[in-house]
Amino acid sequence: MTAGTTTDETQRKAIADAAYTVLSREDGPLQLGEILARVQAEGLAAVGVQTPQLVLSGTLSRDGRFERRGTSNEWSLAGAPRAARAGGAAAAPAPDAHSHPAPAAHAGPEPDTPPAGSSVRDAQGRVSAAGMADDALPHVPDLERRLRALGAELLIERGVVRRIYRSLLAGRHVVLSGPPGTGKSELARLLPTLLWADGDHHGYAPLLVTATEDWGVRDVVGGIGPRLGGPGGGLSYVIDHGVLTRAVLRHYADTDDGARLPDGPEPLLRQASYEAEGRRYRGTWLIIDELTRAPVDAAFGGLLTALGGGDEVTLLVPSASRQPRAVPLPRDFRIIATLNSFDRHFLNQISEAFKRRFDFIDLPPPSLYLAAFEQGIAAAHALRRLLRSGFPQITRALDGQGYHSRHCCQDGQLCHIKWLPDARRPVRPPRTTEDLLRELDEIFERRPPGEIDEETADAVGRRVEALSRRFAELTGALVAIGVYERRLRDMAMARTLDRLAPEGRESLVLAVYLVEKLDAAQATDFSAPMIHIARVLEREIQRRVMAIPGIAPADFPHGKPTLVALDGTRRKRPEVWARIEAHLAGAGDGRMDDADEAFIVSFDSFEKQLQPIVHARNQAAHTTPLARERYSRLFGDVCHGGVSCVGVLNALLLAWPAAGEQ
C-alpha cells in the first residue's frame, strides 16, 4: 500500500467518524449539505476543497454505519427509526418485540417448511436451524423505557447509550473508553441483556473476560493445549477454544456450551436459544474488559477480516483435522470491549487497522450536579445486597422500584412508598423537560375538586418551587443563574431585582427559566411559572406587612397575609387594614420615582391590582391550564405594565421598601 493510499484511508475514516458524531446527536436523517456544514463548522474533519459533497457522499456510501433514505440526499445512521416527514407519507411503525422483517416479494408458491432437524440457508448463505434464521440484530421498540431502567442502575447520559445502541445496530463492534469508575464494564455487561430482552429471552448472555498481558491467538481463537491424565497418566494434547470461539459456538447446537466443535462436514445448526443458569438467551456476546492490557494486534491480528464485517463472515477455528474449520459469525453477534483511558500510554497500543473495526465511544464521568443521583444509585445497590442477605427490616415495594423499613411508615400520609394507603408517589428528580412535565402533571392532578383553599394552594406552590429548583440544579441552570437574572433586569427590573429577598429572587429567576424550557417543549400549560411569580409577590407582601408594629398572625385567617387573605382583610377587617395603610404611607409614602413626586400609588389600589394574579394563581394551582398568551399578559402586569405602568411587583418594591432598604 502506498503512502497516498494510507493517507486517503485515514482521511476517509476521519470524515466518517465526523459524520457519525453529527448524526448521533439527531433523532432523524439530515441532508448531506447539512451534515457537511456541521462537520466543517465544528472543525471535525477536513472534507476536501474542490468537491466536498462528493467526497462526503462517497465516504458515507462505503461505510456500513450509514444509510441513504430512498432517492433523496438524506442520510441517517443505519438502523435509525424513520421519522414521518411533514407533507410526506407516514413513517412505518416500529416493530414490536416479536416482529420479524417482512418477507421479500416473489412469484411462485411458498417453499415447503423444512422438516425438523434440517437446515436452511439465508440470503447470505448462512446455515441455521430450521425455523431459526440467522437474523440481524433486531431493533429495540421501547428503547426509551429501557434507557430509563438503565438509568436506575448506572449514571450514564442517555445520549451516550443511544450512540452505543446505534453502532451495535449498524453491525459494528464497540470499545467503551473512559476514566476508571465511569461504569464501562457494568454498562458493557448490562446492555446485551437489558436492551434486547423480550418475553421469550433475556437478551444476549454476556461472556465476560479480562484481557491480560500474556494473551495470544490461542486465548482468543484457540489452539492446542496440554492436558494431564492422558494414556498411562501422561501428558496429552487437546484443542482448547479461545474466548471468541466459545462465545460464537454458543449460538449453535451440539457445542457443549461452546466447548466443542461438532465433528463431521455437516453445517452448524443455529439454535433457537442458548440456556444458562436457568435462563434462555438469544445468543452470547463477548465482553472484553481492560482490552489494552493484552497485546491486541498479536491476539486479534488474524481476525481483522472477520471483524470487518461483510455478507459471509467466518471464523477459522482449529479442529481435530489438520485444516481449521470455518464457523459462520452470527449476524447478531457483537464484541463490546472496555479500556481505561488514563492508562492507555502505559499499556499496549492499538493499531489503526484494529480501530477501523470498532467504534470507540467515550464514557465521561458524570457531572458534579448529579452527585445526589450517584448516591441514590449506590444506596439502592446497598439495599439490594441487604435484601439478598435476608436483613429482616428491609422489604421491597410492590412496584419493584423502592425499598423501605418496616418500622418507618407508621403514618401513610408521610410515607413515600406509593402503594401504601393514602400515600403519595415520590417526586422523581427530573432530568429532562419531559420528566419535569410528567412530575408537574402529577402535582396538579392531586388537587381536590371544588374551590381550592389556602393550605392546598400553599402546598402546591411549595412542591412546584422545589421541583423547579431541583430541575434547574440537575440541568446545570442553577449554577448559571446570573444569565436569567440579566434577562430580568432587561425586563424593567434593573432597579428592583436586588431588593427581592434571596429566596424570592431565585424563584422569579426559575420562572423565567421554566418558561424557556416550556416554550422549547411546545407546552400548553404555564401554570408552574405563574405559581412562582405569585409566591414571590406573596412573600414580599408578608415581609412588609408582618413587620408593621401591632400586626399579629391572629389578624389573618391563616396566620399570615396571603394573597387571598389580604383581600379578605381589606373587606372584612377595616381596623387592621387601616393600620396597614397608615404605616406603609408613613414608611414609604407610595412614591415610585424620586424625580416625579406625582408618581404615587396607594396600598389600597395596589391590592386591587393583585386580583387577576390571585385568580390566575388559584386556577394554576387547581385544574385549569394557564395558556401561554395569558401568562405573558400577567407577567407584564407583574414586572413592567398594568395600571401602575411599572408592574405590581416593581410598585411594591419601589413604593414600600422593606425594613433596612430605605
Side-chain angles (χ1 to χ4, degrees):
M1 180 180 290
T2 64
T5 304
T6 304
T7 303
D8 290 343
E9 283 292 331
T10 303
Q11 184 183 22
R12 279 197 293 270
K13 182 182 182 300
I15 294 170
D17 290 344
Y20 184 91
T21 300
V22 170
L23 286 171
S24 64
R25 303 170 187 160
E26 302 296 322
D27 293 329
L30 289 177
Q31 289 284 339
L32 185 68
E34 178 65 19
I35 299 173
L36 176 63
R38 296 190 188 185
V39 168
Q40 293 176 328
E42 299 178 29
L44 299 176
V47 183
V49 178
Q50 296 181 343
T51 57
Q53 288 206 15
L54 186 60
V55 171
L56 180 60
S57 178
T59 301
L60 300 186
S61 300
R62 287 189 291 269
D63 196 308
R65 291 178 292 175
F66 307 95
E67 66 177 2
R68 189 171 184 170
R69 295 300 177 92
T71 58
S72 67
N73 210 14
E74 288 184 330
W75 291 82
S76 68
L77 297 180
R82 296 175 179 266
R85 300 183 180 88
D96 59 27
H98 305 286
S99 65
H100 299 280
H106 63 278
E110 290 285 334
D112 295 331
T113 303
S118 65
S119 62
V120 295
R121 289 183 179 270
D122 64 10
Q124 282 75 36
R126 306 287 184 85
V127 178
S128 60
M132 181 58 191
D134 186 22
D135 293 330
L137 188 65
H139 289 270
V140 176
D142 53 348
L143 180 62
E144 292 304 315
R145 180 184 65 81
R146 298 181 190 232
L147 292 182
R148 288 194 295 271
L150 181 64
E153 301 291 331
L154 291 173
L155 201 59
I156 296 174
E157 292 183 11
R158 293 184 187 178
V160 174
V161 183
R162 289 192 191 97
R163 286 187 60 195
I164 300 170
Y165 166 72
R166 288 168 178 167
S167 290
L168 295 171
L169 207 61
R172 302 281 292 179
H173 305 289
V174 171
V175 173
L176 307 179
S177 65
T182 53
K184 301 182 296 296
S185 302
E186 188 68 7
L187 178 62
R189 184 186 66 82
L190 285 176
L191 280 177
T193 54
L194 182 62
L195 292 191
W196 279 277
D198 58 24
D200 298 324
H201 302 90
H202 284 82
Y204 293 88
L207 177 57
L208 179 61
V209 296
T210 302
T212 61
E213 179 64 35
D214 58 354
W215 259 24
V217 174
R218 193 167 70 87
D219 299 279
V220 177
V221 180
I224 298 176
R227 285 287 187 277
L228 290 175
L235 190 67
S236 64
Y237 293 89
V238 297
I239 293 179
D240 287 329
H241 295 311
V243 292
L244 177 60
T245 301
R246 293 205 309 271
V248 170
L249 288 180
R250 286 180 180 182
H251 292 78
Y252 297 101
D254 302 323
T255 60
D256 294 340
D257 198 29
R260 184 180 70 87
L261 185 61
D263 298 328
E266 292 80 9
L268 296 176
L269 303 179
R270 175 71 186 265
Q271 56 186 355
S273 61
Y274 163 71
E275 296 189 12
E277 299 179 351
R279 292 185 172 185
R280 300 174 68 237
Y281 297 94
R282 296 173 181 266
T284 299
W285 285 8
L286 179 60
I287 312 298
I288 305 176
D289 202 18
E290 302 292 347
L291 176 67
T292 48
R293 295 192 180 277
V296 177
D297 287 287
F300 286 85
L303 299 172
L304 294 183
T305 302
L307 297 179
D311 290 340
E312 297 185 21
V313 181
T314 58
L315 177 67
L316 295 179
V317 178
S319 65
S321 64
R322 295 185 177 182
Q323 295 297 325
R325 183 171 181 181
V327 175
L329 206 63
R331 295 173 63 200
D332 58 349
F333 172 75
R334 298 291 184 271
I335 299 173
I336 303 179
T338 72
L339 65 84
N340 182 350
S341 58
F342 278 18
D343 295 339
R344 66 173 60 182
H345 299 296
F346 306 101
L347 299 174
N348 295 284
Q349 300 301 307
I350 301 175
S351 68
E352 290 298 323
F354 186 89
K355 290 179 181 178
R356 288 185 56 238
R357 270 81 177 170
F358 286 78
D359 283 343
F360 285 72
I361 298 177
D362 289 329
L363 264 68
S367 303
L368 289 177
Y369 65 83
L370 294 178
F373 279 109
E374 190 169 8
Q375 294 167 3
I377 291 174
H381 282 287
L383 287 169
R384 290 195 192 100
R385 286 195 296 272
L386 288 173
L387 183 63
R388 288 194 297 268
S389 302
F391 194 75
Q393 290 182 311
I394 301 295
T395 59
R396 190 163 187 166
L398 292 182
D399 63 356
Q401 298 299 317
Y403 300 81
H404 70 98
S405 165
R406 289 180 184 149
H407 304 291
C408 74
C409 300
Q410 304 301 324
D411 187 349
Q413 293 288 342
L414 300 178
C415 180
H416 64 279
I417 305 300
K418 65 181 181 181
W419 56 271
L420 291 179
D422 301 322
R424 287 195 291 264
R425 185 182 71 82
V427 174
R428 302 188 185 281
R431 303 186 187 187
T432 65
T433 307
E434 291 74 15
D435 293 342
L436 175 69
L437 292 175
R438 280 194 296 270
E439 294 302 329
L440 287 174
D441 287 342
E442 177 73 20
I443 292 174
F444 295 145
E445 284 174 0
R446 294 191 175 275
R447 297 183 298 275
E451 187 65 28
I452 194 168
D453 55 53
E454 279 295 290
E455 288 85 356
T456 305
D458 187 60
V460 169
R462 288 197 307 271
R463 293 185 69 192
V464 168
E465 280 190 319
L467 183 67
S468 303
R469 192 182 194 281
R470 187 64 172 142
F471 177 61
E473 182 182 18
L474 294 177
T475 55
L478 208 57
V479 298
I481 199 169
V483 174
Y484 299 94
E485 286 185 348
R486 287 192 290 273
R487 292 185 187 178
L488 279 170
R489 296 182 195 279
D490 293 339
M491 297 174 183
M493 293 203 66
R495 288 193 299 161
T496 55
L497 187 61
D498 292 333
R499 297 192 179 193
L500 287 171
E503 182 183 17
R505 184 164 62 249
E506 181 184 86
S507 189
L508 192 62
V509 166
L510 288 177
V512 176
Y513 173 66
L514 280 180
V515 170
E516 176 185 278
K517 292 299 181 183
L518 294 175
D519 279 338
Q522 297 183 342
T524 58
D525 186 3
F526 286 74
S527 298
M530 187 68 246
I531 288 174
H532 273 270
I533 292 171
R535 287 180 65 80
V536 172
L537 267 170
E538 193 169 67
R539 279 194 287 257
E540 289 299 323
I541 290 171
Q542 291 168 4
R543 283 180 66 200
R544 288 154 175 78
V545 173
M546 295 307 295
I548 296 175
I551 297 297
D555 293 328
F556 306 98
H558 302 284
K560 55 187 176 182
T562 64
L563 291 178
V564 174
L566 200 64
D567 178 60
T569 301
R570 181 179 62 83
R571 291 184 290 105
K572 299 178 182 179
R573 301 288 302 275
E575 72 285 358
V576 175
W577 188 255
R579 289 203 302 272
I580 294 173
E581 280 202 301
H583 178 84
L584 292 178
D589 70 19
R591 185 181 302 172
M592 291 186 291
D593 190 346
D594 292 337
D596 187 356
E597 296 184 357
F599 196 2
I600 296 175
V601 63
S602 69
F603 195 71
D604 188 76
S605 64
F606 164 79
E607 192 280 329
K608 292 177 182 178
Q609 293 177 46
L610 294 176
Q611 294 315 302
I613 298 163
V614 174
H615 182 64
R617 189 283 309 262
N618 286 349
Q619 286 187 318
H622 190 33
T623 57
T624 306
L626 187 68
R628 179 68 167 89
E629 183 180 357
R630 187 181 178 200
Y631 169 81
S632 298
R633 291 199 305 270
L634 290 168
F635 182 82
D637 292 343
V638 170
C639 293
H640 53 76
V643 177
S644 65
C645 300
V646 296
V648 291
L649 180 57
N650 278 331
L652 176 67
L653 299 173
L654 292 170
W656 302 287
E661 292 181 355
Q662 286 87 347

